Amino acid sequence: MKNGKDLADFAIDYGASRGASYIEARVVASRNESYAARNGVILGGGITYSNGIAIRVLANGGMGFCSTASLTKTGIENGIEEAIKLAKASKRKIPITFSEEEVVQTKWKSPVKIKFEEISIEEKQNFLIDLDKVLNKEFRFKLPTRTLLLDLYSDQKYIVTNEGSKVESENSIISAHTFNTAKGKAGGEQRMLSLGGTGGWEWIEEENVVERILEDNISLVKAARNAIEKDINQIDVVVSGEVAGIMAHENVGHPSEADRILGREGAQAGESFYIDLLENERLGEIKMGSEQVTIIDDPTQKGNSGFYLYDDECVKARPRYLIKNGMLNELFLNREYASRYNTQSNAAARAVAYTREPIIRMANTYFAPGDFTFEELIDDVKQGIYMKSFTEWNIDDRRFQSKYVGLEVYLIENGEVTDTMIRRPVLELTTYGILGSVDGVSKDFSSPHGYCGKGEPQQAAPVWLGGPHVRLKNIKLGGGNK
Amino acid sequence: MTETSDLLKFGINVAQDEKINEILAQRTKGKGYQIRFSNSMIDNSKIWSNDNIELFLAKGKKSTYLEIEAPTQAKIRSRIKDASKFLERLPESFLYNGMESNQHKYEKLDGIYDPKILDFSDKAPELVNAAIQTSLESGAKKVAGVLYFGYSKTELSTSYGNEGSFLGSYYRFTIRSFVDPDSSGQGLACSRSLSGVESEFLKAGNNAGEIAKMANGGTQGSPGKYDVLMSPTVAANVLGQVFDGLNPIKIMVGMSPLKYEHIGKQIASEEFTVTDNALLAEGLGSRPFDVEGTPKGKTPIFSEGILKGLLQNTSTSKMDKVENSGNSTFFDFGIGSKFLAPGPSNIAINGGDYTLEEIIAESKKPTIYITSNWYTRFTNMTEGIFSTIPRDGMFLIENGEIKEPVRRLRLSDNLLRICSNISAIGKNVKQIYWWEVQTPTFTPTIKVKDCTITAATQ
């Protein structure tokens, strides 16, 4: 890292001397150890190291970016020259500018008790092999196809800008994934489960990972064996933190990204329906849903998979209140888009590797807990469903029309969750359809791990997406695709 | 000897000294560029200097993969020594059954490298701005998109003495035009060669603008049963989910709608003939050999609707007791370590007899014409139950004519049913590669009867 830091400092001086009005260098040294197992047999494992530098410049109002793993002064000089040349050649009518932000020189790291390197390779493989034994013992032929993955990522990063900011960080993310198929009467059900967070090897035990995976597979097997087709129409729907989390992420998080709203992702991840809303009204004045809806993104929450204290533009992170009591409150901003809105960045710039530019990303988006207990949410439901997990989901590229297909779903009758499981009910709802129908939010909370896809080239950013139980009143279920 | 072959041989020697008996070493060195644009202006121009060696090491049935960026002898020695220790402690895998052990000479593949690529960065921004202008002139109010281009030299050396190299160049251009936030159209162009690149950009820009204009004034469509006309962009994505499933490993883990019992059976319409073709001059996935050093060629996938077989590498072909199709790739599940598994090169769907206009004119039943799509996801991958979301211009065809633009619908159906319900195939085949299609796919427009279209209920 020492050589990389020196070169990053060199890059800043060199870029400034070559006419860049802004230059930022980011050195990243990462280690990724991973294993895959199928039905208890390790399919593959490996450790990959990556070490390189990314440089971003503004020149004549255009932006240029270069990256290389060849950490030499000549390589960096050539990269900067070419990035500046291309930035100038873009001939923008409106120059790119960055918001003014506080200059910082600081360090942060995610808390780790046991580093991945301290654990033997055998113990890591045995985690997957033993986990598979637990699943096989419990389910046998009911869960015939089991794919288990373990991913251990850590990095050291140094970011420096010509404005004087310098941020060093160390991060460590651990995640376990299962992709399993359960056999049942009507065919089978499949489930991709991801659990993860920032931390070290201690996470496995502290987060009861084996128990949580077992519990999830009990649900999967139950759904495959017991769920029945049932013609239900206009009902109340209570969703778990997992389902509320994906809704918070897809229906609220993504449309709140300022780069989408102002069109930068137009040809890739798309724009945002907020563009229409913000044409005539201002933040704080736009009703998005019922008063019970508050949606927050907080990168600083300890343990979350998107944890950071300073973003990749050296801006201090803080919670972002996207929707507050039903009203549109805040957008995700980096320095470029904060400048467009004539405000300050709220530290949403993230890059997943040194080969990628920092762009606006979520970190840890969730429905804020409310006042109800789970039982109170159910008490008021005459007929409804309790959707505990989901399989298929998607949403249009303006983030308005979404679909969530239930996996573990129970019928609610007269204020009680029954044992009757419903097969693959479909919530095909607009964002307003979801947020406007919320009439109760519970006190409890859960946050699954996930990867958020955005950018070009794609940047799969680790995130949490969670929430409490949320009740949606009077929902018409959508059509299936059997 | 080149610097690269020296480094690859050095790596193989170091690994052999570590008693590793099967080794693949592949170096890719080159430069990649990207110009991103939106709001009719260039947002960012990127340059990637790439130089990496990928190594696959096997000792008996134990194997591991590693990647070394900016390789030097010192790095190679140290990483291989670490990997050797790691390998010792890995268990054996039933999935690994050896690599290509026969010796081969490789034919030069013409058309996959255009030396004009070396100077292309000088004029690329100007061409992008010209395409933006063309799209604006054809009616767009704003334009977004991306241009990728670059070149690389790939060299392979294996412990069985196979050695080969090739130069490759490419460009991939996506342009999306907006008349208003809800009315958009997309144009694509990609190739290995820069011949005619300027007119390809302008054509893509013009197409995008034309579709956006046609989409203007669209209204909420009605859910129901329709015939669906998939543009090449949509066909490449939707049918691409089937082609991705030609991998025996994906079948094994439940990530494919295909099953072994489908082989030799008619599971698609008779009009449907598909080949995996690694030798197409323009193909972005063309290469003379796979990562094991097996020569690549043409592999029939569907012949008149009959599934002819899966894609194979050495290990899976031994497991399945079939011929190796030369499709070995460094594969992962999106998360986790890479290993050897088959993957497609260029998928080529044979063109049919009809022009787009003829297909539209013959569409007497209500038909939805989808020009682009994204976000394809599955309820169950083995059953092929999926949905995908149309974006950009989408049109209702009635009585042989485009009646009106429609919006906010979802194609919610089953992949196997779609294969068997193909009712017409267009004449003009186009190579598709973009954000939502990562396997180069040569495909015409494809019509499918009786599809389920859904919409939000509230």
Side-chain angles (χ1 to χ4, degrees), chain A residues 415-455:
Chain A
E416 281 195 8
V417 178
T418 70
D419 291 334
T420 303
M421 295 187 81
I422 309 297
R423 189 160 194 251
R424 301 176 182 174
V426 177
L427 297 180
E428 196 163 351
L429 300 168
T430 64
T431 299
Y432 287 146
I434 293 170
L435 302 180
S437 63
V438 173
D439 83 330
V441 179
S442 74
K443 295 172 186 168
D444 52 49
F445 188 81
S446 63
S447 254
H449 168 95
Y451 291 97
C452 170
K454 186 183 170 189

mmCIF file of all heavy atoms in Angstrom, chain A residues 415-455:
data_model
loop_
_atom_site.group_PDB
_atom_site.id
_atom_site.type_symbol
_atom_site.label_atom_id
_atom_site.label_comp_id
_atom_site.label_asym_id
_atom_site.label_seq_id
_atom_site.Cartn_x
_atom_site.Cartn_y
_atom_site.Cartn_z
ATOM 1 N N GLY A 415 -57.702 -12.424 11.718
ATOM 2 C CA GLY A 415 -56.674 -11.981 12.659
ATOM 3 C C GLY A 415 -55.668 -13.035 13.052
ATOM 4 O O GLY A 415 -54.929 -12.843 14.019
ATOM 5 N N GLU A 416 -55.594 -14.147 12.306
ATOM 6 C CA GLU A 416 -54.605 -15.179 12.646
ATOM 7 C C GLU A 416 -53.879 -15.674 11.402
ATOM 8 O O GLU A 416 -54.502 -15.887 10.360
ATOM 9 C CB GLU A 416 -55.297 -16.371 13.312
ATOM 10 C CG GLU A 416 -55.589 -16.085 14.763
ATOM 11 C CD GLU A 416 -55.923 -17.341 15.547
ATOM 12 O OE1 GLU A 416 -55.783 -18.449 14.984
ATOM 13 O OE2 GLU A 416 -56.312 -17.184 16.695
ATOM 14 N N VAL A 417 -52.581 -15.860 11.556
ATOM 15 C CA VAL A 417 -51.819 -16.478 10.461
ATOM 16 C C VAL A 417 -52.110 -17.977 10.516
ATOM 17 O O VAL A 417 -51.854 -18.635 11.524
ATOM 18 C CB VAL A 417 -50.305 -16.220 10.632
ATOM 19 C CG1 VAL A 417 -49.524 -16.908 9.513
ATOM 20 C CG2 VAL A 417 -49.998 -14.731 10.636
ATOM 21 N N THR A 418 -52.700 -18.495 9.442
ATOM 22 C CA THR A 418 -53.058 -19.920 9.415
ATOM 23 C C THR A 418 -51.882 -20.754 8.898
ATOM 24 O O THR A 418 -50.867 -20.216 8.463
ATOM 25 C CB THR A 418 -54.267 -20.160 8.493
ATOM 26 O OG1 THR A 418 -53.840 -19.955 7.133
ATOM 27 C CG2 THR A 418 -55.413 -19.221 8.818
ATOM 28 N N ASP A 419 -52.059 -22.065 8.926
ATOM 29 C CA ASP A 419 -51.023 -22.951 8.375
ATOM 30 C C ASP A 419 -51.138 -23.093 6.864
ATOM 31 O O ASP A 419 -50.297 -23.738 6.232
ATOM 32 C CB ASP A 419 -51.148 -24.359 8.997
ATOM 33 C CG ASP A 419 -50.759 -24.329 10.461
ATOM 34 O OD1 ASP A 419 -49.968 -23.432 10.819
ATOM 35 O OD2 ASP A 419 -51.244 -25.184 11.228
ATOM 36 N N THR A 420 -52.183 -22.538 6.276
ATOM 37 C CA THR A 420 -52.380 -22.687 4.831
ATOM 38 C C THR A 420 -51.363 -21.825 4.078
ATOM 39 O O THR A 420 -51.303 -20.607 4.272
ATOM 40 C CB THR A 420 -53.799 -22.228 4.435
ATOM 41 O OG1 THR A 420 -54.719 -22.991 5.199
ATOM 42 C CG2 THR A 420 -54.054 -22.426 2.950
ATOM 43 N N MET A 421 -50.575 -22.485 3.249
ATOM 44 C CA MET A 421 -49.559 -21.750 2.478
ATOM 45 C C MET A 421 -50.074 -21.522 1.053
ATOM 46 O O MET A 421 -50.631 -22.424 0.435
ATOM 47 C CB MET A 421 -48.244 -22.523 2.432
ATOM 48 C CG MET A 421 -47.605 -22.656 3.805
ATOM 49 S SD MET A 421 -45.966 -23.388 3.704
ATOM 50 C CE MET A 421 -44.982 -21.972 3.233
ATOM 51 N N ILE A 422 -49.858 -20.318 0.560
ATOM 52 C CA ILE A 422 -50.339 -19.942 -0.770
ATOM 53 C C ILE A 422 -49.157 -19.988 -1.740
ATOM 54 O O ILE A 422 -48.069 -19.483 -1.439
ATOM 55 C CB ILE A 422 -50.924 -18.504 -0.760
ATOM 56 C CG1 ILE A 422 -51.939 -18.351 0.376
ATOM 57 C CG2 ILE A 422 -51.542 -18.151 -2.104
ATOM 58 C CD1 ILE A 422 -53.151 -19.229 0.257
ATOM 59 N N ARG A 423 -49.399 -20.593 -2.899
ATOM 60 C CA ARG A 423 -48.314 -20.787 -3.867
ATOM 61 C C ARG A 423 -48.138 -19.570 -4.784
ATOM 62 O O ARG A 423 -49.041 -19.171 -5.500
ATOM 63 C CB ARG A 423 -48.612 -22.023 -4.715
ATOM 64 C CG ARG A 423 -47.452 -22.445 -5.591
ATOM 65 C CD ARG A 423 -47.595 -23.886 -6.018
ATOM 66 N NE ARG A 423 -46.344 -24.360 -6.571
ATOM 67 C CZ ARG A 423 -46.155 -24.606 -7.873
ATOM 68 N NH1 ARG A 423 -47.141 -24.459 -8.722
ATOM 69 N NH2 ARG A 423 -44.988 -25.035 -8.309
ATOM 70 N N ARG A 424 -46.977 -18.986 -4.677
ATOM 71 C CA ARG A 424 -46.494 -17.951 -5.598
ATOM 72 C C ARG A 424 -47.478 -16.810 -5.876
ATOM 73 O O ARG A 424 -47.750 -16.482 -7.040
ATOM 74 C CB ARG A 424 -46.093 -18.587 -6.925
ATOM 75 C CG ARG A 424 -45.016 -19.642 -6.799
ATOM 76 C CD ARG A 424 -44.721 -20.314 -8.130
ATOM 77 N NE ARG A 424 -43.715 -21.355 -7.991
ATOM 78 C CZ ARG A 424 -43.354 -22.186 -8.967
ATOM 79 N NH1 ARG A 424 -43.923 -22.088 -10.145
ATOM 80 N NH2 ARG A 424 -42.432 -23.102 -8.768
ATOM 81 N N PRO A 425 -48.042 -16.179 -4.844
ATOM 82 C CA PRO A 425 -48.878 -15.008 -5.121
ATOM 83 C C PRO A 425 -48.019 -13.872 -5.681
ATOM 84 O O PRO A 425 -46.840 -13.759 -5.345
ATOM 85 C CB PRO A 425 -49.441 -14.639 -3.749
ATOM 86 C CG PRO A 425 -48.447 -15.174 -2.789
ATOM 87 C CD PRO A 425 -47.854 -16.404 -3.412
ATOM 88 N N VAL A 426 -48.620 -13.068 -6.520
ATOM 89 C CA VAL A 426 -47.865 -12.015 -7.211
ATOM 90 C C VAL A 426 -48.340 -10.638 -6.752
ATOM 91 O O VAL A 426 -49.524 -10.327 -6.841
ATOM 92 C CB VAL A 426 -48.053 -12.131 -8.740
ATOM 93 C CG1 VAL A 426 -47.335 -10.993 -9.464
ATOM 94 C CG2 VAL A 426 -47.543 -13.483 -9.239
ATOM 95 N N LEU A 427 -47.406 -9.844 -6.256
ATOM 96 C CA LEU A 427 -47.693 -8.422 -6.024
ATOM 97 C C LEU A 427 -47.144 -7.677 -7.236
ATOM 98 O O LEU A 427 -45.932 -7.593 -7.429
ATOM 99 C CB LEU A 427 -46.976 -7.910 -4.774
ATOM 100 C CG LEU A 427 -47.337 -8.522 -3.427
ATOM 101 C CD1 LEU A 427 -46.517 -7.864 -2.316
ATOM 102 C CD2 LEU A 427 -48.825 -8.358 -3.142
ATOM 103 N N GLU A 428 -48.026 -7.214 -8.077
ATOM 104 C CA GLU A 428 -47.594 -6.447 -9.251
ATOM 105 C C GLU A 428 -48.171 -5.052 -9.068
ATOM 106 O O GLU A 428 -49.325 -4.784 -9.404
ATOM 107 C CB GLU A 428 -48.076 -7.126 -10.542
ATOM 108 C CG GLU A 428 -47.348 -6.624 -11.771
ATOM 109 C CD GLU A 428 -47.482 -7.523 -12.999
ATOM 110 O OE1 GLU A 428 -48.004 -8.646 -12.886
ATOM 111 O OE2 GLU A 428 -47.060 -7.081 -14.078
ATOM 112 N N LEU A 429 -47.364 -4.180 -8.495
ATOM 113 C CA LEU A 429 -47.866 -2.897 -7.988
ATOM 114 C C LEU A 429 -46.963 -1.746 -8.403
ATOM 115 O O LEU A 429 -45.747 -1.913 -8.532
ATOM 116 C CB LEU A 429 -47.898 -2.932 -6.451
ATOM 117 C CG LEU A 429 -48.778 -4.009 -5.797
ATOM 118 C CD1 LEU A 429 -48.474 -4.095 -4.303
ATOM 119 C CD2 LEU A 429 -50.250 -3.695 -6.013
ATOM 120 N N THR A 430 -47.569 -0.589 -8.553
ATOM 121 C CA THR A 430 -46.759 0.611 -8.761
ATOM 122 C C THR A 430 -46.160 1.039 -7.420
ATOM 123 O O THR A 430 -46.600 0.590 -6.347
ATOM 124 C CB THR A 430 -47.610 1.770 -9.312
ATOM 125 O OG1 THR A 430 -48.573 2.114 -8.323
ATOM 126 C CG2 THR A 430 -48.299 1.399 -10.611
ATOM 127 N N THR A 431 -45.200 1.926 -7.493
ATOM 128 C CA THR A 431 -44.592 2.427 -6.255
ATOM 129 C C THR A 431 -45.647 3.123 -5.390
ATOM 130 O O THR A 431 -45.700 2.924 -4.169
ATOM 131 C CB THR A 431 -43.434 3.392 -6.592
ATOM 132 O OG1 THR A 431 -42.464 2.639 -7.337
ATOM 133 C CG2 THR A 431 -42.777 3.961 -5.347
ATOM 134 N N TYR A 432 -46.515 3.918 -6.028
ATOM 135 C CA TYR A 432 -47.600 4.549 -5.259
ATOM 136 C C TYR A 432 -48.549 3.488 -4.697
ATOM 137 O O TYR A 432 -49.072 3.632 -3.590
ATOM 138 C CB TYR A 432 -48.401 5.511 -6.135
ATOM 139 C CG TYR A 432 -47.678 6.784 -6.468
ATOM 140 C CD1 TYR A 432 -47.865 7.397 -7.700
ATOM 141 C CD2 TYR A 432 -46.823 7.394 -5.551
ATOM 142 C CE1 TYR A 432 -47.214 8.581 -8.023
ATOM 143 C CE2 TYR A 432 -46.161 8.569 -5.873
ATOM 144 C CZ TYR A 432 -46.356 9.156 -7.106
ATOM 145 O OH TYR A 432 -45.710 10.312 -7.416
ATOM 146 N N GLY A 433 -48.782 2.436 -5.500
ATOM 147 C CA GLY A 433 -49.650 1.349 -5.044
ATOM 148 C C GLY A 433 -49.137 0.726 -3.755
ATOM 149 O O GLY A 433 -49.917 0.340 -2.885
ATOM 150 N N ILE A 434 -47.830 0.634 -3.632
ATOM 151 C CA ILE A 434 -47.236 0.074 -2.404
ATOM 152 C C ILE A 434 -47.260 1.104 -1.280
ATOM 153 O O ILE A 434 -47.838 0.867 -0.213
ATOM 154 C CB ILE A 434 -45.780 -0.377 -2.666
ATOM 155 C CG1 ILE A 434 -45.755 -1.580 -3.622
ATOM 156 C CG2 ILE A 434 -45.067 -0.720 -1.350
ATOM 157 C CD1 ILE A 434 -44.368 -1.946 -4.113
ATOM 158 N N LEU A 435 -46.652 2.251 -1.533
ATOM 159 C CA LEU A 435 -46.456 3.218 -0.440
ATOM 160 C C LEU A 435 -47.777 3.816 0.039
ATOM 161 O O LEU A 435 -47.931 4.137 1.218
ATOM 162 C CB LEU A 435 -45.507 4.337 -0.884
ATOM 163 C CG LEU A 435 -44.115 3.888 -1.352
ATOM 164 C CD1 LEU A 435 -43.277 5.095 -1.759
ATOM 165 C CD2 LEU A 435 -43.383 3.092 -0.281
ATOM 166 N N GLY A 436 -48.722 3.933 -0.879
ATOM 167 C CA GLY A 436 -50.015 4.513 -0.515
ATOM 168 C C GLY A 436 -50.895 3.553 0.254
ATOM 169 O O GLY A 436 -51.857 3.974 0.910
ATOM 170 N N SER A 437 -50.569 2.270 0.212
ATOM 171 C CA SER A 437 -51.443 1.295 0.887
ATOM 172 C C SER A 437 -50.901 0.877 2.256
ATOM 173 O O SER A 437 -51.519 0.058 2.942
ATOM 174 C CB SER A 437 -51.607 0.055 -0.006
ATOM 175 O OG SER A 437 -50.373 -0.556 -0.185
ATOM 176 N N VAL A 438 -49.750 1.435 2.656
ATOM 177 C CA VAL A 438 -49.175 1.051 3.958
ATOM 178 C C VAL A 438 -50.039 1.633 5.080
ATOM 179 O O VAL A 438 -50.262 2.840 5.135
ATOM 180 C CB VAL A 438 -47.720 1.574 4.083
ATOM 181 C CG1 VAL A 438 -47.187 1.334 5.494
ATOM 182 C CG2 VAL A 438 -46.829 0.914 3.046
ATOM 183 N N ASP A 439 -50.530 0.770 5.954
ATOM 184 C CA ASP A 439 -51.320 1.303 7.080
ATOM 185 C C ASP A 439 -50.819 0.795 8.426
ATOM 186 O O ASP A 439 -51.435 1.034 9.451
ATOM 187 C CB ASP A 439 -52.820 1.021 6.889
ATOM 188 C CG ASP A 439 -53.207 -0.364 7.340
ATOM 189 O OD1 ASP A 439 -52.352 -1.278 7.257
ATOM 190 O OD2 ASP A 439 -54.358 -0.545 7.796
ATOM 191 N N GLY A 440 -49.685 0.113 8.410
ATOM 192 C CA GLY A 440 -49.132 -0.316 9.692
ATOM 193 C C GLY A 440 -47.713 -0.829 9.515
ATOM 194 O O GLY A 440 -47.408 -1.507 8.533
ATOM 195 N N VAL A 441 -46.848 -0.459 10.459
ATOM 196 C CA VAL A 441 -45.437 -0.863 10.397
ATOM 197 C C VAL A 441 -45.040 -1.341 11.784
ATOM 198 O O VAL A 441 -45.343 -0.693 12.791
ATOM 199 C CB VAL A 441 -44.558 0.347 9.970
ATOM 200 C CG1 VAL A 441 -43.095 -0.052 9.932
ATOM 201 C CG2 VAL A 441 -44.985 0.871 8.598
ATOM 202 N N SER A 442 -44.358 -2.477 11.840
ATOM 203 C CA SER A 442 -44.061 -3.061 13.153
ATOM 204 C C SER A 442 -42.760 -2.519 13.737
ATOM 205 O O SER A 442 -42.018 -1.796 13.071
ATOM 206 C CB SER A 442 -44.002 -4.583 13.054
ATOM 207 O OG SER A 442 -42.805 -4.968 12.406
ATOM 208 N N LYS A 443 -42.508 -2.930 14.999
ATOM 209 C CA LYS A 443 -41.318 -2.439 15.703
ATOM 210 C C LYS A 443 -40.069 -3.246 15.365
ATOM 211 O O LYS A 443 -38.957 -2.773 15.543
ATOM 212 C CB LYS A 443 -41.534 -2.595 17.218
ATOM 213 C CG LYS A 443 -42.628 -1.752 17.790
ATOM 214 C CD LYS A 443 -42.835 -2.167 19.238
ATOM 215 C CE LYS A 443 -44.023 -1.447 19.821
ATOM 216 N NZ LYS A 443 -44.434 -2.003 21.114
ATOM 217 N N ASP A 444 -40.289 -4.501 14.952
ATOM 218 C CA ASP A 444 -39.132 -5.393 14.751
ATOM 219 C C ASP A 444 -38.372 -5.017 13.481
ATOM 220 O O ASP A 444 -38.785 -4.133 12.729
ATOM 221 C CB ASP A 444 -39.591 -6.853 14.680
ATOM 222 C CG ASP A 444 -40.702 -7.027 13.673
ATOM 223 O OD1 ASP A 444 -40.536 -6.537 12.548
ATOM 224 O OD2 ASP A 444 -41.749 -7.615 14.009
ATOM 225 N N PHE A 445 -37.288 -5.707 13.213
ATOM 226 C CA PHE A 445 -36.434 -5.284 12.108
ATOM 227 C C PHE A 445 -35.528 -6.425 11.655
ATOM 228 O O PHE A 445 -34.987 -7.149 12.475
ATOM 229 C CB PHE A 445 -35.564 -4.112 12.580
ATOM 230 C CG PHE A 445 -34.784 -3.462 11.481
ATOM 231 C CD1 PHE A 445 -35.382 -2.531 10.656
ATOM 232 C CD2 PHE A 445 -33.460 -3.790 11.266
ATOM 233 C CE1 PHE A 445 -34.675 -1.918 9.631
ATOM 234 C CE2 PHE A 445 -32.743 -3.183 10.243
ATOM 235 C CZ PHE A 445 -33.352 -2.248 9.429
ATOM 236 N N SER A 446 -35.372 -6.588 10.350
ATOM 237 C CA SER A 446 -34.353 -7.518 9.836
ATOM 238 C C SER A 446 -33.776 -6.956 8.542
ATOM 239 O O SER A 446 -34.432 -6.183 7.848
ATOM 240 C CB SER A 446 -34.955 -8.903 9.584
ATOM 241 O OG SER A 446 -35.942 -8.823 8.578
ATOM 242 N N SER A 447 -32.548 -7.354 8.225
ATOM 243 C CA SER A 447 -31.870 -6.776 7.063
ATOM 244 C C SER A 447 -31.059 -7.813 6.302
ATOM 245 O O SER A 447 -29.927 -8.101 6.658
ATOM 246 C CB SER A 447 -30.923 -5.663 7.520
ATOM 247 O OG SER A 447 -31.456 -4.421 7.193
ATOM 248 N N PRO A 448 -31.609 -8.345 5.233
ATOM 249 C CA PRO A 448 -30.815 -9.264 4.427
ATOM 250 C C PRO A 448 -29.725 -8.538 3.632
ATOM 251 O O PRO A 448 -29.815 -7.338 3.378
ATOM 252 C CB PRO A 448 -31.840 -9.882 3.468
ATOM 253 C CG PRO A 448 -33.164 -9.507 3.979
ATOM 254 C CD PRO A 448 -32.979 -8.252 4.762
ATOM 255 N N HIS A 449 -28.736 -9.316 3.254
ATOM 256 C CA HIS A 449 -27.624 -8.825 2.429
ATOM 257 C C HIS A 449 -28.026 -8.942 0.964
ATOM 258 O O HIS A 449 -28.817 -9.795 0.595
ATOM 259 C CB HIS A 449 -26.429 -9.741 2.716
ATOM 260 C CG HIS A 449 -25.272 -9.614 1.793
ATOM 261 N ND1 HIS A 449 -24.198 -8.812 2.073
ATOM 262 C CD2 HIS A 449 -24.999 -10.215 0.614
ATOM 263 C CE1 HIS A 449 -23.312 -8.923 1.089
ATOM 264 N NE2 HIS A 449 -23.772 -9.768 0.200
ATOM 265 N N GLY A 450 -27.483 -8.083 0.140
ATOM 266 C CA GLY A 450 -27.740 -8.211 -1.290
ATOM 267 C C GLY A 450 -26.678 -7.497 -2.090
ATOM 268 O O GLY A 450 -25.796 -6.834 -1.527
ATOM 269 N N TYR A 451 -26.741 -7.651 -3.396
ATOM 270 C CA TYR A 451 -25.865 -6.913 -4.289
ATOM 271 C C TYR A 451 -26.735 -6.039 -5.175
ATOM 272 O O TYR A 451 -27.677 -6.520 -5.796
ATOM 273 C CB TYR A 451 -25.027 -7.859 -5.152
ATOM 274 C CG TYR A 451 -24.010 -8.605 -4.334
ATOM 275 C CD1 TYR A 451 -24.278 -9.891 -3.881
ATOM 276 C CD2 TYR A 451 -22.808 -8.011 -3.981
ATOM 277 C CE1 TYR A 451 -23.357 -10.569 -3.095
ATOM 278 C CE2 TYR A 451 -21.887 -8.674 -3.198
ATOM 279 C CZ TYR A 451 -22.172 -9.956 -2.764
ATOM 280 O OH TYR A 451 -21.260 -10.612 -1.982
ATOM 281 N N CYS A 452 -26.425 -4.761 -5.197
ATOM 282 C CA CYS A 452 -27.190 -3.826 -6.006
ATOM 283 C C CYS A 452 -26.449 -3.619 -7.327
ATOM 284 O O CYS A 452 -25.278 -3.279 -7.332
ATOM 285 C CB CYS A 452 -27.309 -2.505 -5.249
ATOM 286 S SG CYS A 452 -27.982 -1.185 -6.251
ATOM 287 N N GLY A 453 -27.154 -3.843 -8.424
ATOM 288 C CA GLY A 453 -26.523 -3.687 -9.732
ATOM 289 C C GLY A 453 -26.823 -2.322 -10.341
ATOM 290 O O GLY A 453 -27.957 -1.873 -10.352
ATOM 291 N N LYS A 454 -25.783 -1.660 -10.795
ATOM 292 C CA LYS A 454 -25.968 -0.354 -11.448
ATOM 293 C C LYS A 454 -24.659 0.006 -12.140
ATOM 294 O O LYS A 454 -23.614 -0.536 -11.823
ATOM 295 C CB LYS A 454 -26.314 0.706 -10.388
ATOM 296 C CG LYS A 454 -26.678 2.068 -10.954
ATOM 297 C CD LYS A 454 -26.931 3.082 -9.843
ATOM 298 C CE LYS A 454 -27.047 4.471 -10.397
ATOM 299 N NZ LYS A 454 -27.087 5.501 -9.361
ATOM 300 N N GLY A 455 -24.737 0.938 -13.044
ATOM 301 C CA GLY A 455 -23.531 1.460 -13.662
ATOM 302 C C GLY A 455 -23.131 0.678 -14.891
ATOM 303 O O GLY A 455 -23.642 -0.393 -15.172
#
